[in-house]
Amino acid sequence: MYTNITSFCFIITFITIHSHLSHLAPLTCKLQKSTIDIIKAYALVNDTKKAIVFERDHIDTEFSDIFIKSVKMSGVQPEVPRIVDRQIHRSNIPSDSPSDHYKKNIAIPFLDHLITQLETRCTRLGILNSKLLATVPSVLCLKELPTIKKELVDVVETYQNDLASKENINREVNL
């Protein structure tokens, strides 16, 4: 077991995951509080997703720091694992250097997975539907009228075929 956790592959995987999951720490702390409302929660998720997408877009510079840190921590000169024709237990993307190999086989797929999961769990329609909470009377009392109307604009446009009249929504909110 000691050999496994001191291997370069384990160390670079650990540092990569630690580095990229650090964006989720503030989000998870804030989402566990009972005082956060759903609209702010979706905004926080969106901000976190933007940060992860930025890292994915700038993976070359981001990963070079991770790779250097991993080399220093492991104390070994990394090598590209052997590439075979048929590989079933790990990624087998061809690469020119060890840095390129770990970037293509660990960092990029992990970031893509994070982005996909955030998009799947926080869809545009889910965010839009959460804005319907602005129509709950107890929420209406807490917010100002211009804020409520602004939140309902997208909802009314999305569900306009299901509504009897757009004007009725404005009248209801004004009451």
Side-chain angles (χ1 to χ4, degrees), residues 89-152:
H89 295 293
R90 66 174 167 84
S91 296
N92 201 25
I93 301 170
S95 56
D96 300 329
S97 65
S99 174
D100 196 37
H101 170 78
Y102 289 107
K103 178 176 59 177
K104 288 179 180 177
N105 288 292
I106 295 173
I108 291 174
F110 184 68
L111 285 172
D112 289 343
H113 176 74
L114 278 177
I115 293 166
T116 303
Q117 289 302 311
L118 287 172
E119 288 173 350
T120 301
R121 289 167 177 15
C122 301
T123 63
R124 182 188 172 281
L125 190 59
I127 295 168
L128 191 66
N129 290 338
S130 71
K131 291 181 180 180
L132 284 171
L133 290 173
T135 61
V136 175
S138 61
V139 176
L140 280 170
C141 296
L142 298 174
K143 294 188 176 185
E144 296 177 10
L145 191 59
T147 306
I148 296 168
K149 285 185 177 182
K150 189 178 107 182
E151 288 177 357
L152 289 177

Side-chain angles (χ1 to χ4, degrees), residues 62-80:
E62 297 287 334
F63 190 75
S64 65
D65 296 337
I66 292 170
F67 188 78
I68 290 167
K69 187 187 286 187
S70 300
V71 170
K72 285 180 184 176
M73 184 180 268
S74 69
V76 298
Q77 186 60 36
E79 296 178 0
V80 177

